[in-house]
Amino acid sequence: MNTPRSNFPPTAEMQATDAAHHLHPFTHGDALNAKGARIITRAEGAFLTDSDGNEILDGMAGLWCVNIGYGRDELAEAAARQMRELPYYNTFFQTSHPPVIALAKRLADLAPGDLDHVFFAGSGSEANDTNIRLARTYWAARGKPEKRVIISRKNAYHGSSVGAASLGGMQAMHGQGGLPIPDITHIDQPYWYGEGGDMDPEAFGRERARQLEAEIHRLGEHNVAAFIAEPIQGAGGVIIPPESYWPEIQRICDAHDILLIADEVICGFGRTGAWFGSETYAIRPDIMTIAKGLSSGYQPIGGSMVTRHVAEVLNAHGEFYHGYTYSGHPVAAAVALENLRILEEDGIVEHVRDTAAPYLAEKWLQLADHPLVGEARVKGMLAAVELTPDKAGRAPFAAPVGTVGLRTRDICFQTGLVMRNVRDSMIVSPPLILDKPEIDLLIERAVQALDTAKKGLEADGLMTAG
Ligand code: PXG
């Protein structure tokens, strides 16, 4: 891209202004302000540039979203064109507009099975809030208003709004603001490394899936509206379920009269080597949450895709009292359409499936040999390593959970790689367009960071099991 570089004040000045006026998401304000935010000023392909001119390989694709990579002029052009023509109009009051119509049709064609209707939102959180109301309204429309409970999972992430954070299973989030809201329950997650103990992973996967059936029995099937889950948990730490997990979940959802909601906010749009994680795991959702990769993060947009049957029930029921000012925003829709065109015409999903993911897997799994690594796991362009002071025993560190992960994250930044921590695991979810040399660079920097982290831990007496 040849656009001129924007002018901005010196780093320290921007940091001071940021500290004075900006409340950051998921951030301890005083801790951040004491050292100053890292300020990202530009990006191209898979590389970020910060305000000091450092180039950093973005192993997280922003926040799991910049699937096609940075700097695609076509998206800027699509936004500019749409802004000139119709920068805003709503989809309430029996109106529509060309980009939202085209995007709904495009998504219906792309989505698996007969998921062929979309309710648009501005984000994944909003879409999951929609799903709570949509699932309950669906059952009310079918004459079963008592089917209200939504079963989710501990350590799931479904967003930050009151509804979405209640669906999520993050204890720290529930502790702030009196969550979860009523009629949402959480079963255990299929996290073999952390919770599987001596069990065989496949047996563990089946056991965790069967908790859903036990929970349906406990609540009474007549009270349960839906089960929601990410095909692969992202923010929870790239938790890749054993192969036995999803078939058993699907069986249970089929056997009991409940809706299956697949939260595809991270897994959708090529991340797992198929258009949707539901295809990778042969899941047949009734509702699918989409966001992030839908626009590769170039515009905020999300949505709930539902099957023809769910849409028919809803449409026949009467008015669904729900919607956002920016549901189906024309600029976001135009950008999403252009993003989907690029994903398709550049063959990016095939690139992931045939080239990038197999190569990443080959290289990433070798990290399991590193003395600091207890497990390396990968699926598509999602990968994690679990850090441990004791490889054989999969033991946690003696230091408080997250201490080692956070240190390692900071080292990664200094090494020129965004690889973030979840607890004491390190995870990546890079742009899908990475080529082999870029994957080599990612691995090289990851190894360098792990080596540096290990030395530091040894020097500080932290390589001890807790
Ligand atoms: N579902 C899933 C599976 C997500 O990962 C959301 C819903 C909510 O989307 P919005 O657009 O409302 O943010 C997400 C978002 C992290 C991190 O630190 C992850 C997300 C968002 C912010 C941070 O891993 N995922």
Side-chain angles (χ1 to χ4, degrees):
M1 227 164 52
N2 296 315
T3 46
R5 190 172 290 261
S6 309
N7 284 323
F8 45 78
T11 300
E13 188 183 326
M14 286 196 285
Q15 286 172 329
T17 309
D18 189 68
H21 301 293
H22 185 189
L23 291 170
H24 287 248
F26 283 88
T27 296
H28 185 305
D30 282 352
L32 169 66
N33 295 340
K35 63 179 196 181
R38 181 179 296 271
I39 297 170
I40 304 299
T41 53
R42 295 179 67 80
E44 183 71 35
F47 292 88
L48 310 168
T49 306
D50 72 14
S51 51
D52 296 327
N54 298 305
E55 205 170 63
I56 307 161
L57 175 57
D58 186 4
M60 285 305 298
L63 270 181
W64 323 75
C65 55
V66 188
N67 287 12
I68 63 167
Y70 298 93
R72 292 295 297 242
D73 260 341
E74 303 95 314
L75 272 65
E77 294 300 331
R81 238 184 352 259
Q82 187 58 44
M83 280 195 189
R84 291 196 181 98
E85 195 147 324
L86 180 71
Y88 177 77
Y89 202 72
N90 66 71
T91 51
F92 290 45
F93 315 133
Q94 304 188 341
T95 62
S96 205
H97 53 69
V100 79
I101 294 168
L103 181 59
K105 165 83 167 84
R106 185 82 189 86
L107 286 168
D109 290 343
L110 278 176
D114 57 359
L115 289 157
D116 70 354
H117 283 68
V118 197
F119 193 106
F120 286 104
S123 66
S125 299
E126 284 182 8
N128 277 326
D129 274 22
T130 298
N131 291 340
I132 297 173
R133 304 199 62 215
L134 205 151
R136 290 175 177 170
T137 305
Y138 165 86
W139 286 114
R142 289 197 46 196
K144 298 179 179 177
E146 69 286 359
K147 278 174 85 70
R148 288 177 49 79
V149 179
I150 301 177
I151 302 172
S152 180
R153 305 183 298 183
K154 294 172 190 163
N155 197 38
Y157 189 78
H158 296 297
S160 267
S161 57
V162 169
S166 295
L167 287 177
M170 301 284 179
Q171 266 179 10
M173 292 176 77
H174 290 173
Q176 293 178 331
L179 307 182
I181 57 172
D183 293 330
I184 293 176
T185 69
H186 300 83
I187 58 173
D188 288 325
Q189 57 181 333
Y191 179 25
W192 178 80
Y193 179 88
E195 300 173 4
D198 294 333
M199 272 185 99
D200 165 72
E202 297 308 320
F204 174 74
R206 267 188 300 278
E207 187 206 271
R208 285 289 156 106
R210 283 179 192 155
Q211 279 195 15
L212 174 59
E213 197 150 45
E215 184 68 353
I216 293 169
H217 287 143
R218 186 183 76 81
L219 294 161
E221 185 178 312
H222 58 287
N223 291 316
V224 180
F227 173 64
I228 182 166
E230 305 151 74
I232 295 169
Q233 286 153 265
V238 181
I239 291 167
I240 302 168
E243 289 297 321
S244 58
Y245 182 76
W246 274 110
E248 189 63 3
I249 290 284
Q250 184 69 58
R251 179 193 69 73
I252 293 164
C253 290
D254 290 346
H256 303 278
D257 206 11
I258 68 168
L259 298 172
L260 173 53
I261 306 172
D263 184 336
E264 293 267 8
V265 168
I266 283 176
C267 293
F269 306 101
R271 177 70 46 203
T272 67
W275 275 92
F276 296 96
S278 292
E279 294 165 298
T280 297
Y281 286 105
I283 306 166
R284 287 178 280 101
D286 302 286
I287 300 176
M288 205 164 77
T289 322
I290 54 174
K292 294 193 190 275
L294 167 57
S295 65
S296 283
Y298 281 58
Q299 280 285 292
I301 184 168
S304 304
M305 298 205 67
V306 305
T307 59
R308 192 168 313 138
H309 164 71
V310 171
E312 278 168 8
V313 170
L314 213 64
N315 280 338
H317 178 55
E319 186 167 341
F320 181 33
Y321 302 109
H322 182 78
Y324 308 106
T325 299
Y326 301 125
S327 285
H329 191 285
V331 177
V335 168
L337 269 171
E338 188 61 9
N339 173 62
L340 296 179
R341 186 192 65 73
I342 288 174
L343 275 171
E344 184 170 38
E345 288 183 14
D346 286 7
I348 291 174
V349 182
E350 293 76 13
H351 166 73
V352 171
R353 187 191 64 205
D354 301 333
T355 307
Y359 192 69
L360 177 66
E362 181 193 328
K363 299 285 167 181
W364 188 267
L365 292 176
Q366 291 171 14
L367 294 177
D369 296 333
H370 193 278
L372 193 54
V373 171
E375 183 188 67
R377 54 179 183 265
V378 60
K379 188 91 175 176
M381 298 299 271
L382 286 167
V385 286
E386 298 274 358
L387 307 185
T388 175
D390 167 23
K391 277 175 94 72
R394 305 197 329 241
F397 292 91
V401 173
T403 308
V404 170
L406 211 54
R407 282 171 65 120
T408 309
R409 186 187 75 177
D410 287 344
I411 293 166
C412 284
F413 257 121
Q414 289 151 20
T415 313
L417 172 66
V418 179
M419 173 162 77
R420 51 166 292 219
N421 73 302
V422 175
R423 301 176 299 276
D424 292 317
S425 64
M426 304 306 300
I427 61 178
V428 291
S429 170
L432 306 184
I433 41 99
L434 285 198
D435 59 19
K436 287 183 176 179
E438 288 166 338
I439 291 173
D440 287 336
L441 187 65
L442 186 155
I443 298 290
E444 190 184 301
R445 290 184 180 177
V447 170
Q448 210 179 321
L450 290 171
D451 287 345
T452 308
K454 180 164 176 291
K455 280 200 198 91
L457 293 172
E458 282 163 351
D460 296 342
L462 286 169
M463 272 303 272
T464 48

